[in-house]
Amino acid sequence: MKRSLSGIKPTGNLTLGNYIGALRNFKNYQDDYENFIFVADLHALTLPIDPTFLRSNTKDIVAFYLAAGLDKDKTTIFLQSDVSAHSELNSILINYLYMGELSRMTQFKDKSSKLNHEAIGVGLFAYPVLMCCDILLYNADVVPVGEDQKQHVELARDLVHRFNTRYNKEIFVMPEAISPKVGARIMSLSDPTRKMSKSDPRGDIFLKDEPNIIRKKIMSAVTDTDTDIYYDPEHKPGISNLLQIYSALSDIDIKEAEMRFKDMHQYGEFKKIVAETVLKEIVPFQERYKSFLNNETINDVLNTGKYRASKIANKTLTKVKKTVGLYVHE
Ligand code: AMP
Ligand code: TRP
């Protein structure tokens, strides 16, 4: 059976972008794939983060996974920090990637540009190496992610090629990033030229926002001054973003969404429908999330996941150690 793997880092409050671009799609792989979904908690340390927030946000994400329809009997749900093989493989593979290629990573450039050059953490720079380890330890065939993570998966592909060629053996499986057709890059509602990230309470819809707040944010989404509703991200970024949200959550393509609104000519009416579409999906999701958010459920899921994930990850780690010439003994 083919394998699918993905993760989310517990750095900030999860957004509708995370939900549409990633979370919502994770359950699609649990019937036909061996599905691995984890919380990338070690990745959360690449920028300063409050320990209490990190801990509670990690539990939140596990509850979100369950609320999004992941079933612990079908999907291995685990914490990155619970499987030490991630860090061990990182110590090996960090020697197989180059400063040049890591400096070209868009996410690194974005994040580091906001910091004083002298204070850019080594972990922030080397972050994609750990992400490669996450993927390669499980020999994942597919990696469901939003648009912004595709470059990191490309790097993992380069590494697989490099490593397998160097040792002339199929040690790692070649992974492939897959993103949803619509919604791989949801934009901020207050500035639709910027990606919705976890940082702007006005433009980002958080998965824990109260329904009336979600409605308000959508109703005040920045748009152009025209009245026609069609998809044109360059000239109508705000309307195009709302169309994307609507299409993704209605499981239809953009063309069909455009058809539905072609005679409307009223942004207010359109926004109301988008808001209702979001709430129809998010309110029940929030209720399920609350029902899963207790220590017993979370710990039970994580204990099972840790056991299953470690078994597979340790096997790959041993294979890699032997391949590179480390002395593996019983
Ligand atoms: P992160 O929050 O960076 O850990 O991202 C977790 C997942 O959500 C990744 O697969 C991202 O590509 C995806 N994601 C994050 N922001 C967005 C967005 N604005 N639109 C679509 N997908 C997103
Ligand atoms: N880097 C991803 C993000 O910021 C999270 C992540 C870490 C991930 N390791 C992964 C996603 C492995 C997919 C596969 O969104």
Side-chain angles (χ1 to χ4, degrees):
M1 209 186 235
K2 287 200 167 186
R3 287 190 179 155
S4 172
L5 171 134
S6 194
I8 294 181
K9 55 181 188 317
T11 41
N13 291 313
L14 258 58
T15 69
L16 188 65
N18 293 125
Y19 182 78
I20 293 178
L23 188 52
R24 182 174 192 264
N25 313 307
F26 290 169
K27 68 171 182 309
N28 300 344
Y29 301 91
Q30 67 181 357
D31 290 321
D32 303 325
Y33 288 76
E34 252 183 277
N35 202 24
F36 297 85
I37 299 292
F38 69 103
V39 183
D41 53 356
L42 293 172
H43 278 132
L45 299 174
T46 52
L47 287 171
I49 185 165
D50 174 65
T52 308
F53 174 74
L54 173 56
R55 220 168 353 251
S56 71
N57 203 21
T58 299
K59 281 168 59 185
D60 270 353
I61 294 184
V62 177
F64 281 140
Y65 285 163
L66 298 170
L70 292 181
D71 171 347
K72 87 164 184 14
D73 296 327
K74 294 183 180 171
T75 295
T76 301
I77 302 171
F78 64 101
L79 301 184
Q80 187 183 34
S81 65
D82 258 344
V83 181
S84 58
H86 291 247
S87 304
E88 293 181 61
L89 185 63
N90 190 57
S91 305
I92 298 175
L93 292 188
I94 202 156
N95 302 300
Y96 293 78
L97 285 156
Y98 306 135
M99 302 279 286
E101 54 197 357
L102 291 182
S103 348
R104 283 192 293 276
M105 294 292 116
T106 309
Q107 197 172 63
F108 171 71
K109 287 198 279 189
D110 280 356
K111 297 203 165 158
S112 59
S113 67
K114 297 180 189 122
L115 300 168
N116 165 3
H117 183 75
E118 285 299 308
I120 298 170
V122 176
L124 185 67
F125 181 69
Y127 169 117
V129 184
L130 185 56
M131 181 159 164
C132 289
C133 298
D134 301 336
I135 299 170
L136 303 188
L137 274 175
Y138 301 89
N139 283 312
D141 299 278
V142 295
V143 184
V145 283
E147 188 69 39
D148 62 342
Q149 294 301 318
K150 282 186 165 174
Q151 195 185 27
H152 292 152
V153 181
E154 276 306 312
L155 185 74
R157 290 173 63 86
D158 291 343
L159 177 59
V160 167
H161 181 71
R162 189 172 301 157
F163 198 89
N164 288 352
T165 307
R166 169 125 162 221
Y167 296 101
N168 200 18
K169 260 195 269 183
E170 287 288 308
I171 305 295
F172 293 127
V173 167
M174 188 62 82
E176 188 188 350
I178 31 180
S179 300
K181 266 201 225 110
V182 205
R185 190 173 168 82
I186 299 293
M187 310 305 275
S188 155
L189 297 179
S190 58
D191 175 3
T193 59
R194 195 176 62 70
K195 191 189 77 167
M196 186 180 284
S197 62
K198 295 163 174 164
S199 52
D200 169 19
R202 263 177 335 128
D204 301 346
I205 292 180
F206 298 124
L207 294 180
K208 291 208 291 187
D209 277 345
E210 293 291 333
N212 60 330
I213 303 282
I214 295 183
R215 189 176 287 114
K216 222 159 132 186
K217 287 182 181 174
I218 296 177
M219 292 310 291
S220 35
V222 168
T223 55
D224 51 74
T225 51
D226 191 13
T227 55
D228 293 334
I229 300 164
Y230 60 91
Y231 189 73
D232 179 352
E234 197 185 328
H235 301 105
K236 297 169 79 69
I239 289 295
S240 302
N241 190 37
L242 293 173
L243 269 172
Q244 244 203 111
I245 294 173
Y246 175 84
S247 310
L249 295 180
S250 311
D251 293 312
I252 57 173
D253 58 28
I254 294 276
K255 279 267 159 285
E256 173 154 8
E258 280 181 322
M259 286 293 290
R260 291 190 188 176
F261 297 108
K262 78 177 179 358
D263 298 323
M264 187 169 261
H265 309 297
Q266 271 187 31
Y267 285 176
E269 274 307 297
F270 170 56
K271 285 177 174 175
K272 232 188 251 167
I273 295 177
V274 176
E276 290 319 313
T277 307
V278 171
L279 291 175
K280 205 171 118 209
E281 174 127 352
I282 296 301
V283 170
F285 170 77
Q286 290 180 333
E287 276 158 18
R288 290 194 298 274
Y289 151 78
K290 282 181 199 145
S291 74
F292 289 123
L293 193 62
N294 61 75
N295 286 349
E296 208 183 323
T297 309
I298 305 283
N299 292 346
D300 176 44
V301 167
L302 292 179
N303 285 332
T304 309
K306 174 181 179 175
Y307 175 76
R308 281 199 232 138
S310 301
K311 237 169 115 175
I312 293 168
N314 287 334
K315 230 166 117 181
T316 310
L317 179 65
T318 302
K319 193 159 132 189
V320 173
K321 281 177 149 180
K322 286 183 178 160
T323 302
V324 302
L326 296 174
Y327 183 50
V328 177
H329 52 96
E330 301 302 318

